[in-house]
């Protein structure tokens, strides 16, 4: 059994429980294609703990992982080309798309179609190389013994660890300035633990007892932002990125200098020269921008005003006699 994987997804490739099975089990070897995400230390450490050799393939040898390359080509040539607005398909005369008015797929619809295609490939597709058997049938007919790995071992070896020690408090485990909670933490306040996590999936962490190395359980992000808040944050980040791109484009345009053509040996002469006032104005704006970036108005909190400072007098409320007069 051969896999191409990163340490973060090794658990999904090895486990045979739903929804990942029935294919899986501990591989006899892992071959990686020199990608940095595959040659990371986490892959070697995780597989070394499970006694699985990791082979680094030489560069520019796709034939050594032909099964993976063929599967990727099949996804593109059999599935992606059938989707609306696929950019890799052939175009009509003049570069026009065959279905320019086709509505784009939603993410949910795309995932559903992809899962249907994967199910067809595994259960109803009969390639010639498998002698008429579907991939799942060929897997089940193979007599190679399978070795399953427990969920605790997968959580221990197939996830990444920052090497730090944490303490379970009243708010759970504080990791990366965020709190993670779980019901099993009740009565464990003060326990020293370590944290393992799946890269780029920080909504859940796995917690281990540092004294025994035992897997205590999963913990989940507390006070997670709502979908509306996430959308607002993403919109603000997109707007900031657009402003930065526009500023960078304008600055690059201003930085570019053009010179007159020369017919004699003389110093270069710029085509456009700013006036002295324009130069001073631009330098002043740059200095003001630098000072604004260095300003930290919240660094030192404001104290109470001294007693000697004049304060506004409160408005005088007239007496009833003054009102009648």
């Amino acid at each position: 059994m051969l896999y191409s994987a990163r340490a973060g997804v090794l658990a999904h490739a090895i486990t045979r429980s739903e929804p990942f099975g029935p294919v899986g089990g501990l591989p006899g070897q892992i071959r990686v294609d020199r990608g940095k995400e595959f040659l990371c230390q986490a892959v070697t450490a995780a597989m070394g703990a499970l006694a699985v050799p990791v082979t680094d393939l030489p560069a520019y040898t796709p034939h050594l992982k032909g099964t993976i390359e063929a599967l990727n080509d099949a996804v593109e040539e059999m599935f992606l080309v059938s989707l609306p607005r696929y950019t890799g398909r052939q175009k009509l005369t003049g570069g026009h798309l065959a279905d320019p008015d086709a509505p784009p797929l939603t993410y949910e619809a795309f995932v559903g179609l992809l899962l249907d295609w994967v199910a067809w490939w595994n259960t109803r597709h009969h390639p010639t190389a498998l002698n008429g058997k579907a991939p799942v049938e060929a897997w089940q007919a193979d007599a190679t013994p399978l070795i399953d790995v427990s969920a605790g071992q997968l959580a221990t070896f197939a996830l990444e660890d920052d090497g730090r020690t944490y303490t379970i408090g009243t708010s759970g485990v504080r990791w990366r300035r965020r709190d993670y909670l779980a019901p099993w933490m009740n009565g464990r306040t003060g326990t020293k633990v370590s944290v393992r996590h799946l890269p780029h999936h920080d909504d859940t962490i796995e917690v281990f007892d540092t004294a025994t190395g035992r897997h205590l359980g999963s913990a989940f992000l507390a006070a997670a932002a709502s979908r509306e808040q996430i959308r607002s944050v993403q919109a603000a980040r997109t707007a900031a990125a657009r402003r930065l791109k526009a500023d960078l484009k304008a600055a690059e345009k201003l930085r570019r200098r053009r010179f007159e053509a020369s017919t004699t040996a003389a110093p270069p002469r710029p085509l456009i020269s700013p006036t002295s006032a324009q130069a001073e104005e631009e330098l002043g704006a740059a200095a003001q921008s630098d000072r604004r970036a260095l300003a930290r108005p919240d660094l030192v909190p404001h104290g109470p005003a001294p007693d000697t400072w004049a304060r506004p007098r409160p408005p005088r409320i007239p007496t009833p006699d003054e009102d009648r007069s």
Side-chain angles (χ1 to χ4, degrees):
M1 296 175 291
L2 302 177
Y3 293 90
S4 177
R6 186 173 186 261
V9 296
L10 284 176
H12 296 168
I14 294 174
T15 182
R16 295 197 298 143
S17 59
E18 291 295 334
F20 306 107
V23 177
L26 193 65
Q29 181 185 11
I30 287 184
R31 298 188 298 185
V32 296
D33 59 356
R34 304 185 65 82
K36 290 184 178 180
E37 67 274 22
F38 300 138
L39 292 175
C40 62
Q41 184 179 2
V43 170
T44 305
M47 291 297 93
L50 297 174
V52 176
V54 178
T55 303
D56 179 13
L57 296 178
Y60 307 109
T61 54
H63 60 282
L64 296 181
K65 50 185 177 65
T67 302
I68 299 297
E69 296 291 337
L71 180 59
N72 292 337
D73 290 340
V75 172
E76 182 174 357
E77 297 173 2
M78 301 175 64
F79 172 67
L80 296 181
V81 294
S82 65
L83 301 181
R85 297 194 180 188
Y86 176 58
T87 58
R89 69 174 54 174
Q90 292 182 345
K91 295 181 174 59
L92 302 177
T93 304
H96 301 291
L97 295 176
D99 53 352
D101 299 327
L105 289 174
T106 63
Y107 178 77
E108 293 83 357
F110 170 76
V111 173
L113 291 175
L114 178 58
L115 292 178
D116 291 341
W117 185 88
V118 171
W120 169 84
W121 177 275
N122 288 332
T123 60
R124 300 188 299 276
H125 174 54
H126 301 277
T128 305
L130 297 181
N131 299 321
K133 294 181 180 179
V136 168
E137 294 174 343
W139 172 273
Q140 293 173 342
D142 193 333
T144 303
L146 296 177
I147 301 176
D148 289 321
V149 182
S150 66
Q153 286 181 306
L154 289 178
T156 302
F157 300 119
L159 301 179
E160 295 191 2
D161 183 5
D162 59 5
R164 300 179 60 184
T165 300
Y166 301 88
T167 303
I168 298 179
T170 56
S171 300
V173 176
R174 185 75 173 174
W175 183 67
R176 293 184 175 177
R177 300 186 298 175
R178 306 197 299 181
D179 293 326
Y180 290 80
L181 289 170
W184 58 262
M185 291 184 181
N186 293 333
R188 295 180 179 271
T189 302
T191 303
K192 300 296 182 180
V193 297
S194 60
V195 170
R196 290 181 177 268
H197 67 286
L198 190 67
H200 313 300
H201 293 73
D202 55 0
D203 56 340
T204 305
I205 59 175
E206 302 297 329
V207 184
F208 296 80
D209 191 323
T210 55
T212 62
R214 186 168 61 90
H215 180 222
L216 299 178
S218 302
F220 306 92
L221 178 64
S226 64
R227 290 188 176 183
E228 291 73 15
Q229 290 175 316
I230 294 175
R231 291 193 190 100
S232 299
V233 170
Q234 289 299 115
R237 290 175 178 175
T238 301
R242 289 174 178 171
R243 289 195 301 268
L244 291 174
K245 289 180 180 179
D247 292 343
L248 180 61
K249 185 177 180 180
E252 186 63 25
K253 184 177 181 181
L254 291 174
R255 191 182 67 86
R256 189 181 301 116
R257 299 182 64 186
R258 298 181 181 275
F259 298 89
E260 294 181 354
S262 299
T263 58
T264 60
R269 297 181 58 185
L271 286 175
I272 300 176
S273 298
T275 64
S276 177
Q278 289 175 330
E280 291 296 334
E281 180 182 0
E282 188 167 341
L283 290 174
Q288 182 68 17
S289 177
D290 293 340
R291 287 193 293 269
R292 199 179 299 118
L294 294 174
R296 297 288 300 276
D298 58 339
L299 184 61
V300 180
H302 296 288
D307 296 335
T308 56
W309 284 17
R311 291 176 171 79
R313 294 181 179 179
R316 182 174 177 273
I317 302 176
T319 63
D321 295 337
E322 291 175 337
D323 286 340
R324 287 193 295 268
S325 61

